[in-house]
């Protein structure tokens, strides 16, 4: 699958109809491919994972608030009259997002090049 097809699928997942964010989304696709290659310790992206790239890229786009001027903020408390609600959530980073897809990436992971922290 070419990057242009990945871009079309990513825009579909995000509900983006115009071309205004194509450069940003293309960069995100490239970064997602590199992240998968690094995580799996492989040189080329298997055909079976090509359709998976836009899904991961969409999660990263939403989690990081890409395309917005300001970084996304987590709600910590809301007060309305006598009512008060407090909540806090951690925004996932790329490593956390990949952990969510660990089972799907596992068959493609090259274990030969383990790093010292994984031995034992």
């Amino acid at each position: 699958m070419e990057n242009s097809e990945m871009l079309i699928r990513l825009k579909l997942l995000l509900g983006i109809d115009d071309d205004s964010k194509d450069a940003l989304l293309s960069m995100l696709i490239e970064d997602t491919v590199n992240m998968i290659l690094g995580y799996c310790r492989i040189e080329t992206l298997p055909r079976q994972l090509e359709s998976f790239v836009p899904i991961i890229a969409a999660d990263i786009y939403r989690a990081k608030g890409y395309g917005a001027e300001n970084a996304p903020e987590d709600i910590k408390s809301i007060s309305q009259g006598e009512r008060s609600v407090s909540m806090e959530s951690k925004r996932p980073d790329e490593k956390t997002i990949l952990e969510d897809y660990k089972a799907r990436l596992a068959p493609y992971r090259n274990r030969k090049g383990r790093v010292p922290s994984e031995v034992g």
Side-chain angles (χ1 to χ4, degrees):
M1 177 184 310
E2 293 182 22
N3 279 359
S4 60
E5 193 172 333
M6 287 184 196
L7 178 62
I8 291 168
R9 290 180 181 201
L10 178 56
K11 288 169 69 172
L12 179 67
L13 289 169
L14 295 172
I16 297 174
D17 296 329
D18 60 18
D19 298 336
S20 64
K21 296 183 179 180
D22 282 6
L24 173 65
L25 297 176
S26 293
M27 183 188 76
L28 189 56
I29 287 169
E30 183 180 340
D31 191 50
T32 302
V33 168
N34 289 332
M35 190 174 17
I36 291 171
L37 294 176
Y39 179 80
C40 293
R41 296 189 189 107
I42 54 179
E43 295 293 322
T44 57
L45 188 69
R47 183 183 49 79
Q48 298 87 344
L49 290 179
E50 290 176 352
S51 63
F52 198 42
V53 170
I55 295 168
I56 296 174
D59 283 350
I60 293 170
Y61 180 92
R62 290 182 190 113
K64 294 289 191 174
Y66 286 124
E69 278 186 38
N70 299 321
E73 297 177 1
D74 293 325
I75 298 172
K76 293 185 181 175
S77 69
I78 298 174
S79 297
Q80 191 174 31
E82 294 180 13
R83 299 178 120 192
S84 178
V85 176
S86 296
M87 61 184 124
E88 183 176 1
S89 64
K90 287 273 208 180
R91 294 206 179 270
D93 59 8
E94 288 89 351
K95 185 176 180 181
T96 306
I97 289 172
L98 279 181
E99 288 295 319
D100 292 341
Y101 298 116
K102 196 175 187 178
R104 175 116 183 237
L105 296 172
Y108 304 96
R109 194 145 194 226
N110 179 0
R111 288 299 208 175
K112 290 181 182 176
R114 290 192 213 187
V115 294
S117 63
E118 294 179 332
V119 177

